[in-house]
Amino acid sequence: MPLFSRRAKPKPNRADSSGAWPLIIEDWAMDEAADFRVEEGSEITLVLDGEFALEAPGAAPFPMVPGAALVAHPGSSYRILEARDARLVRLRFLPEWLAGKFDAILESPDVLGLFFAPAWFGSKVEGATPFLMNDGEGDYALADLAAVREEVAAGRGRGALCRIAFTKLLLHTGRAYGAYFRGRRQFHLRPEIVRVAVGVEGLILRGLPLHLKELSERCGLSQDHLGRVFRKEVGTTIVDFAQRRRAQHAARLILSTEDSGAAIAESLGYTDAAHFTKSFIRYHGMAPQAYRERYAGTTATRRRRRKRSRL
């Protein structure tokens, strides 16, 4: 049975896009059915007006009304049905762009589980996740969205202020997600796991190699026992987690600086250029230079963009 009535003559769907990777904003006006599949990056969709039914594989149709949100990761697909005067904003982003927001994400088990567990730990996601935001967090998220739009419109979509505003949007969305599911889907980490994660992060940012013995001593556990606890808790090994985080920080630097691949590799503690390239391909599916071309543009491309923006 349809969740919503349909108008006799629906209007064609319309979409406007702004920004560029690592953050793309799509504004949709919808009156007809549409299929979506997330191929790259993660996405959060906020319903601003109207209504529609969301259909995802293996799930019952979900009524999407103003205040509803949807989070999806690569490989997820969903279908919009019974749309009626629906206005929504679809925010597509690269999680590695926010690799520097480690502390804020680690302190929010809802945000970690909803947005970053796949990137941090290789966790599998169940597909598109719809939920309703409470009024308080929804209002905060819309204010954050306005700040993000302002930065993107001014050509500062990769800048620090945009990252801060977008991180706040994710935090408020994560709180609403936690309230909706009453904490049942939080990605809680045991204290010793948190200590490992913090220790690994510190080593990476100082460009130092991973020493499992030192980490185990810091946690007060034997190296073997800590490894078993970590894998059971998050589904991967400490070494894999460290390699993932190192590759994410490498991507972050590619997106936010014009540093050479050699400089990035040295700053993050890769043994040599070959090691850097091999690890980067493993976690991002392409070489660092190809990643820069696709998601950040070459130096010449960025210079042309800045020149055009001044005209």
Side-chain angles (χ1 to χ4, degrees):
M1 177 177 292
L3 295 178
F4 304 112
S5 61
R6 293 204 51 187
R7 68 165 71 245
K9 294 182 179 180
K11 301 174 184 177
N13 294 337
R14 303 176 303 283
D16 293 311
S17 179
S18 59
W21 293 113
L23 175 63
I24 296 173
I25 303 175
E26 295 179 356
D27 286 287
W28 286 81
M30 307 193 70
D31 231 18
E32 295 183 324
D35 293 298
F36 292 90
R37 180 172 179 81
V38 184
E39 299 291 350
E40 54 187 344
S42 296
E43 71 173 57
I44 172 173
T45 298
L46 303 176
V47 181
L48 305 177
D49 202 2
E51 57 195 20
F52 61 89
L54 178 77
E55 188 177 85
F62 189 92
M64 300 290 284
V65 296
L70 165 72
V71 174
H73 297 284
S76 301
S77 61
Y78 57 92
R79 182 173 175 81
I80 288 178
L81 302 167
E82 304 168 31
R84 185 178 177 87
D85 296 325
R87 285 196 312 114
L88 52 138
V89 57
R90 188 177 179 220
L91 299 150
R92 302 168 59 203
F93 69 99
L94 300 175
E96 55 267 29
W97 179 49
L98 302 175
K101 302 300 180 183
F102 175 81
D103 291 338
I105 294 167
L106 191 64
E107 291 172 0
S108 175
D110 292 306
V111 172
L112 178 57
L114 184 59
F115 294 108
F116 293 99
W120 282 26
F121 306 114
S123 305
K124 296 192 176 184
V125 293
E126 57 186 44
T129 303
F131 56 96
L132 296 176
M133 300 182 69
N134 55 59
D135 291 341
E137 300 299 345
D139 290 343
Y140 285 130
L142 291 178
D144 299 330
L145 174 61
V148 169
R149 286 188 188 276
E150 182 177 346
E151 292 301 304
V152 169
R156 299 189 294 265
R158 291 194 181 101
L161 288 179
C162 190
R163 283 198 304 274
I164 291 169
F166 189 66
T167 302
K168 288 174 62 180
L169 189 154
L170 298 187
L171 290 171
H172 288 127
T173 303
R175 287 179 186 171
Y177 166 83
Y180 182 80
F181 288 106
R182 299 182 180 180
R184 293 192 300 269
R185 297 191 178 186
Q186 290 182 335
F187 202 96
H188 278 295
L189 298 177
R190 293 168 52 168
E192 56 267 39
I193 304 302
V194 172
R195 288 196 292 272
V196 169
V198 171
V200 167
E201 192 75 1
L203 291 172
I204 291 171
L205 294 179
R206 295 196 301 275
L208 299 176
L210 177 66
H211 293 293
L212 294 178
K213 183 178 179 181
E214 291 180 8
L215 284 176
S216 62
E217 291 174 351
R218 176 174 181 171
C219 297
L221 298 173
S222 70
Q223 186 172 321
D224 289 342
H225 182 57
L226 180 62
R228 288 193 298 270
V229 170
F230 191 92
R231 182 156 195 159
K232 181 178 179 180
E233 183 86 359
V234 302
T236 191
T237 65
I238 298 173
V239 171
D240 181 69
F241 169 69
Q243 291 174 340
R244 284 179 182 277
R245 289 298 296 165
R246 210 179 293 271
Q248 286 158 25
H249 279 291
R252 172 182 62 82
L253 292 172
I254 289 173
L255 291 168
S256 60
T257 74
E258 295 187 4
D259 293 351
S260 68
I264 290 173
E266 182 178 1
S267 70
L268 294 174
Y270 286 99
T271 54
D272 52 41
H275 177 215
F276 173 45
T277 299
K278 182 178 180 180
S279 180
F280 197 93
I281 291 173
R282 177 182 178 185
Y283 292 107
H284 295 297
M286 63 187 80
Q289 184 59 34
Y291 184 95
R292 173 164 270 160
E293 292 281 351
R294 181 168 184 80
Y295 295 120
T298 61
T299 299
T301 300
R302 289 196 294 276
R303 286 174 179 165
R304 287 196 297 270
R305 287 172 182 164
R306 287 198 295 269
K307 183 177 180 181
R308 287 198 300 269
S309 70
R310 291 195 293 266
L311 296 178

CSV table of all heavy atoms in Angstrom, one decimal, residues 49 91 101 114 120 123 129 157-158 160 168 210 218 245 273 276 296 300 304 308:
chain,number,residue,atom,x,y,z
A,49,ASP,N,11.6,19.5,2.8
A,49,ASP,CA,10.2,19.8,2.6
A,49,ASP,C,9.6,18.6,1.8
A,49,ASP,O,10.3,17.8,1.2
A,49,ASP,CB,10.0,21.1,1.8
A,49,ASP,CG,8.7,21.7,2.0
A,49,ASP,OD1,7.9,21.1,2.8
A,49,ASP,OD2,8.4,22.7,1.4
A,91,LEU,N,24.4,15.4,0.6
A,91,LEU,CA,25.8,15.8,0.9
A,91,LEU,C,26.7,14.6,0.7
A,91,LEU,O,26.6,13.6,1.5
A,91,LEU,CB,25.9,16.3,2.3
A,91,LEU,CG,25.1,17.6,2.6
A,91,LEU,CD1,24.7,17.7,4.0
A,91,LEU,CD2,25.8,18.8,2.2
A,101,LYS,N,39.9,15.0,12.3
A,101,LYS,CA,38.9,15.2,13.4
A,101,LYS,C,38.8,13.9,14.3
A,101,LYS,O,37.7,13.6,14.8
A,101,LYS,CB,37.5,15.5,12.8
A,101,LYS,CG,37.5,16.8,11.9
A,101,LYS,CD,37.9,18.0,12.7
A,101,LYS,CE,37.9,19.3,11.8
A,101,LYS,NZ,38.4,20.4,12.6
A,114,LEU,N,28.0,5.5,12.6
A,114,LEU,CA,27.1,5.9,11.5
A,114,LEU,C,27.9,6.2,10.3
A,114,LEU,O,27.6,5.9,9.2
A,114,LEU,CB,26.2,7.0,11.9
A,114,LEU,CG,25.2,7.5,10.9
A,114,LEU,CD1,24.2,6.4,10.5
A,114,LEU,CD2,24.4,8.7,11.5
A,120,TRP,N,37.5,3.5,9.1
A,120,TRP,CA,38.5,3.3,10.2
A,120,TRP,C,38.8,1.8,10.3
A,120,TRP,O,40.0,1.5,10.5
A,120,TRP,CB,38.0,3.8,11.5
A,120,TRP,CG,38.0,5.3,11.7
A,120,TRP,CD1,38.0,6.3,10.7
A,120,TRP,CD2,38.1,6.0,12.9
A,120,TRP,NE1,38.1,7.5,11.2
A,120,TRP,CE2,38.2,7.4,12.6
A,120,TRP,CE3,38.2,5.6,14.2
A,120,TRP,CZ2,38.2,8.4,13.6
A,120,TRP,CZ3,38.3,6.6,15.2
A,120,TRP,CH2,38.3,8.0,14.9
A,123,SER,N,34.7,-1.9,8.6
A,123,SER,CA,33.4,-2.5,9.0
A,123,SER,C,32.4,-2.5,7.8
A,123,SER,O,32.3,-1.6,7.0
A,123,SER,CB,32.8,-1.8,10.2
A,123,SER,OG,33.7,-1.7,11.2
A,129,THR,N,20.7,3.9,5.7
A,129,THR,CA,20.1,4.0,7.0
A,129,THR,C,19.2,5.2,7.1
A,129,THR,O,19.8,6.3,7.2
A,129,THR,CB,21.2,4.0,8.1
A,129,THR,OG1,22.0,2.8,7.9
A,129,THR,CG2,20.6,4.0,9.5
A,157,GLY,N,35.3,25.3,0.0
A,157,GLY,CA,34.8,24.0,0.3
A,157,GLY,C,35.8,23.1,0.9
A,157,GLY,O,35.5,22.1,1.6
A,158,ARG,N,37.1,23.3,0.7
A,158,ARG,CA,38.1,22.4,1.2
A,158,ARG,C,38.8,23.1,2.5
A,158,ARG,O,39.7,22.5,3.0
A,158,ARG,CB,39.2,22.2,0.2
A,158,ARG,CG,38.8,21.3,-0.9
A,158,ARG,CD,40.0,20.8,-1.7
A,158,ARG,NE,39.6,19.9,-2.8
A,158,ARG,CZ,39.6,20.4,-4.1
A,158,ARG,NH1,39.9,21.6,-4.4
A,158,ARG,NH2,39.2,19.5,-5.0
A,160,ALA,N,39.3,25.1,6.3
A,160,ALA,CA,39.2,24.6,7.7
A,160,ALA,C,37.8,24.9,8.2
A,160,ALA,O,37.2,24.1,8.9
A,160,ALA,CB,40.2,25.3,8.6
A,168,LYS,N,30.5,19.5,12.6
A,168,LYS,CA,29.4,19.8,13.5
A,168,LYS,C,28.1,19.2,13.0
A,168,LYS,O,27.3,18.6,13.8
A,168,LYS,CB,29.3,21.3,13.7
A,168,LYS,CG,30.4,21.9,14.6
A,168,LYS,CD,30.3,23.4,14.6
A,168,LYS,CE,29.0,23.8,15.3
A,168,LYS,NZ,29.0,25.3,15.3
A,210,LEU,N,55.0,1.7,13.8
A,210,LEU,CA,54.1,1.1,14.8
A,210,LEU,C,54.9,0.0,15.6
A,210,LEU,O,55.6,-0.8,15.0
A,210,LEU,CB,52.9,0.4,14.0
A,210,LEU,CG,52.0,-0.4,14.9
A,210,LEU,CD1,51.2,0.5,15.8
A,210,LEU,CD2,51.0,-1.2,14.0
A,218,ARG,N,51.5,0.0,27.1
A,218,ARG,CA,50.7,1.1,27.5
A,218,ARG,C,49.3,0.7,28.0
A,218,ARG,O,48.7,1.4,28.8
A,218,ARG,CB,50.6,2.0,26.2
A,218,ARG,CG,49.7,3.3,26.4
A,218,ARG,CD,49.8,4.1,25.2
A,218,ARG,NE,49.0,5.3,25.3
A,218,ARG,CZ,49.0,6.3,24.4
A,218,ARG,NH1,49.8,6.3,23.4
A,218,ARG,NH2,48.2,7.4,24.6
A,245,ARG,N,44.6,4.2,8.9
A,245,ARG,CA,44.6,5.5,9.4
A,245,ARG,C,45.8,6.3,8.7
A,245,ARG,O,45.7,7.5,8.3
A,245,ARG,CB,44.8,5.6,10.9
A,245,ARG,CG,43.6,5.2,11.7
A,245,ARG,CD,42.5,6.1,11.5
A,245,ARG,NE,42.7,7.5,11.9
A,245,ARG,CZ,42.0,8.5,11.6
A,245,ARG,NH1,41.0,8.4,10.7
A,245,ARG,NH2,42.3,9.7,12.1
A,273,ALA,N,58.8,5.4,-1.1
A,273,ALA,CA,57.7,5.8,-2.0
A,273,ALA,C,56.9,4.6,-2.4
A,273,ALA,O,55.7,4.6,-2.6
A,273,ALA,CB,58.3,6.5,-3.2
A,276,PHE,N,54.5,3.6,0.3
A,276,PHE,CA,53.4,4.5,0.3
A,276,PHE,C,52.4,4.3,-0.8
A,276,PHE,O,51.2,4.2,-0.5
A,276,PHE,CB,54.0,5.9,0.1
A,276,PHE,CG,53.0,7.0,0.0
A,276,PHE,CD1,51.9,7.1,0.8
A,276,PHE,CD2,53.2,8.0,-1.0
A,276,PHE,CE1,50.9,8.1,0.6
A,276,PHE,CE2,52.2,9.0,-1.1
A,276,PHE,CZ,51.1,9.1,-0.3
A,296,ALA,N,41.2,16.1,-6.1
A,296,ALA,CA,41.7,17.4,-5.7
A,296,ALA,C,42.2,18.2,-6.9
A,296,ALA,O,42.3,19.4,-6.9
A,296,ALA,CB,42.9,17.3,-4.7
A,300,ALA,N,48.1,22.6,-11.4
A,300,ALA,CA,47.7,23.5,-12.5
A,300,ALA,C,46.2,23.8,-12.5
A,300,ALA,O,45.7,24.9,-12.7
A,300,ALA,CB,48.2,23.0,-13.8
A,304,ARG,N,44.2,27.3,-12.0
A,304,ARG,CA,43.2,27.8,-13.0
A,304,ARG,C,41.9,28.1,-12.3
A,304,ARG,O,41.2,29.1,-12.6
A,304,ARG,CB,43.0,26.8,-14.1
A,304,ARG,CG,44.1,26.7,-15.1
A,304,ARG,CD,43.7,26.0,-16.3
A,304,ARG,NE,43.3,24.6,-16.1
A,304,ARG,CZ,44.1,23.6,-16.1
A,304,ARG,NH1,45.4,23.8,-16.4
A,304,ARG,NH2,43.7,22.3,-15.9
A,308,ARG,N,40.1,31.8,-12.1
A,308,ARG,CA,38.7,32.0,-12.6
A,308,ARG,C,37.9,32.6,-11.5
A,308,ARG,O,37.0,33.5,-11.7
A,308,ARG,CB,38.1,30.7,-13.1
A,308,ARG,CG,38.6,30.2,-14.4
A,308,ARG,CD,37.6,29.2,-15.0
A,308,ARG,NE,37.4,28.0,-14.1
A,308,ARG,CZ,38.1,26.9,-14.2
A,308,ARG,NH1,39.1,26.8,-15.1
A,308,ARG,NH2,37.9,25.9,-13.4
